[in-house]
Amino acid sequence: MLGVTGLVAFALLSGWAAAPVSAHNSLVSSSPEDGAVVTEQPGVISVTTSDALLDLDGTGAGSALQISGPSDTPLYYGDGCVGVSGATAETSAELGEAGEYTVTWQVVSTDGHPISGTLTFDWQPAEGQVLAAGSATAPSCGGTGAAAGSESDAATTGAPSGLGDAGWILAALGTIGIVVTVTLLVLRRRA
């Protein structure tokens, strides 16, 4: 058993458990797509990235999707709550008056790095579509309007503190699990 402990200790001390990932996560698609013309209420706005997203507490903390538009004095739409599933972050939103809408998004990759961007789409509601009222202040999940420390603040300042550390901790734990599994398989083969 000392061999397993020694191997795990060697892996941790050599930095193998915390080796950086060679490529960073990036946006691969969105709904609606950037530049699309939308004629039906989307109901859900989402972004999908090339790799899984971090969601430590199951609430999408660290992720933000903010929908605003149209005109020079845009209103905000949706409740500010974000759900994360695998590589996709999404929020519920009904849109208001016709025009160009902007989705400002931020997500946190499992390596702890935040990625963000904006996309736009043209909302041209078909006849009979129910239009949402919108809000003059950015929504905060579980509240109304912009609150201190809201997700809009997180989108401009980066990931909340500690998420980078959590990513490294998860990577270290995963590596330890792999080392232990490989060691046990090697020991089992010898027996």
Side-chain angles (χ1 to χ4, degrees), residues 7 11 44 53 63 73 82 97 108 121 124 128 142 146 155 162 179 182 184:
L7 186 57
V44 173
L53 302 174
S63 296
T73 317
V82 177
E97 298 298 320
V108 180
F121 61 91
Q124 297 299 323
V179 168
V182 168
L184 291 174

Side-chain angles (χ1 to χ4, degrees), residues 48-153:
T48 301
T49 62
S50 58
D51 202 358
L53 302 174
L54 192 61
D55 187 22
L56 293 177
D57 60 4
T59 66
S63 296
L65 286 161
Q66 189 176 76
I67 298 92
S68 62
S71 80
D72 295 335
T73 317
L75 296 175
Y76 296 93
Y77 296 88
D79 62 6
C81 297
V82 177
V84 173
S85 177
T88 300
E90 65 183 23
T91 190
S92 299
E94 299 291 323
L95 306 175
E97 298 298 320
E100 184 177 81
Y101 280 71
T102 301
V103 177
T104 304
W105 58 271
Q106 174 186 309
V107 294
V108 180
S109 301
T110 54
D111 66 1
H113 288 91
I115 60 171
S116 60
T118 59
L119 58 97
T120 60
F121 61 91
D122 192 22
W123 167 233
Q124 297 299 323
E127 191 171 324
Q129 292 292 306
V130 176
L131 303 180
S135 172
T137 56
S140 174
C141 188
T144 58
S150 71
E151 290 166 331
S152 60
D153 292 340

Side-chain angles (χ1 to χ4, degrees), residues 1-18 172 175-180 183:
M1 195 52 113
L2 182 58
V4 172
T5 305
L7 186 57
V8 171
F10 172 75
L12 289 174
L13 293 174
S14 69
W16 182 45
T175 303
I176 290 170
I178 291 170
V179 168
V180 169
T183 302

Side-chain angles (χ1 to χ4, degrees), residues 19 47 174:
V47 294

